[in-house]
Amino acid sequence: DAGVIQSPRHEVTEMGQEVTLRCKPISGHDYLFWYRQTMMRGLELLIYFNNNVPIDDSGMPEDRFSAKMPNASFSTLKIQPSEPRDSAVYFCATGDGLNTEAFFGQGTRLTVV
Amino acid sequence: GEDVEQSLFLSVREGDSSVINCTYTDSSSTYLYWYKQEPGAGLQLLTYIFSNMDMKQDQRLTVLLNKKDKHLSLRIADTQTGDSAIYFCASGAGSYQLTFGKGTKLSVIP
């Protein structure tokens, strides 16, 4: 397995634009997590899914953020409209719920100008 | 909410031992983890310890847990330049309930 695959690796967009981040989980993993990493706040859990169903979205900062998992092999995190303070590295991670380890993708570095 | 605290920076000379410390607040944590993040990469699990253990050793890595004080440490013996990275402490009850610290940046001086 190629691991957790995120795209794009880097995204630069103008304030007000819609941004969509993508994640392909490891096959067979039924937990998927979206994290945001900033210097100020460290690593924050935004939302996680189990079997494609959102379980806890209490970390989603605002209504401008939304996440979907239409099937077991794909998830998106959308920001609309984007703001400069959304600039961060966004990580997708997956796990099988039975194991102790969450496997991380390489992240998407988002810059909103 | 639950919290995990760790110092932000540590600098050591190559060949010395590194000790990265962490404190956590969630007394119900089942597992305590150490993740490593290299530049431009995601987090990679280094090691973890069950909350009912005091110590775990894995080659150059030694994890010590003081459950009473909610203190976790990671010791890297014979630190190499390739160990330079950010190390995250995390507590949780499984892969879906992790609380991360802000990370300790380890710099290894040749």
Side-chain angles (χ1 to χ4, degrees), chain A residues 53-64:
Chain A
V53 176
I55 302 300
D56 184 354
D57 65 354
S58 59
M60 296 286 261
E62 297 171 36
D63 291 345
R64 297 182 298 105

Side-chain angles (χ1 to χ4, degrees), chain A residues 9 33 37 40 91 100 102, chain B residues 33 35 37 40 88 95-96 102:
Chain A
R9 289 294 311 276
F33 315 88
Q37 185 180 36
M40 289 296 293
F91 287 103
T100 53
Chain B
Y33 304 81
Y35 276 82
Q37 183 181 31
F88 290 88
S95 61
Y96 50 92
K102 287 202 170 107

Side-chain angles (χ1 to χ4, degrees), chain A:
Chain A
D1 201 312
V4 178
I5 299 173
Q6 291 187 246
S7 63
R9 289 294 311 276
H10 302 273
E11 177 80 38
V12 180
T13 191
E14 290 186 344
M15 183 174 64
Q17 297 297 307
E18 177 180 296
V19 175
T20 300
L21 312 181
R22 297 173 176 81
C23 175
K24 182 180 188 307
I26 292 173
S27 177
H29 282 190
D30 51 4
Y31 284 88
L32 184 142
F33 315 88
W34 282 102
Y35 286 90
R36 178 172 68 176
Q37 185 180 36
T38 62
M39 289 291 291
M40 289 296 293
R41 301 172 70 92
L43 205 63
E44 305 171 279
L45 177 64
L46 301 178
I47 184 171
Y48 80 89
F49 296 82
N50 178 216
N51 291 322
N52 314 335
V53 176
I55 302 300
D56 184 354
D57 65 354
S58 59
M60 296 286 261
E62 297 171 36
D63 291 345
R64 297 182 298 105
F65 286 70
S66 62
K68 293 182 180 178
M69 193 163 184
N71 56 61
S73 57
F74 184 65
S75 177
T76 59
L77 177 67
K78 186 177 292 187
I79 308 172
Q80 166 64 19
S82 58
E83 296 182 4
R85 60 195 168 112
D86 302 330
S87 297
V89 181
Y90 290 82
F91 287 103
C92 175
T94 70
D96 62 13
L98 301 175
N99 201 319
T100 53
E101 181 172 1
F103 293 81
F104 282 74
Q106 291 193 295
T108 295
R109 181 174 293 277
L110 173 65
T111 304
V112 183
V113 298

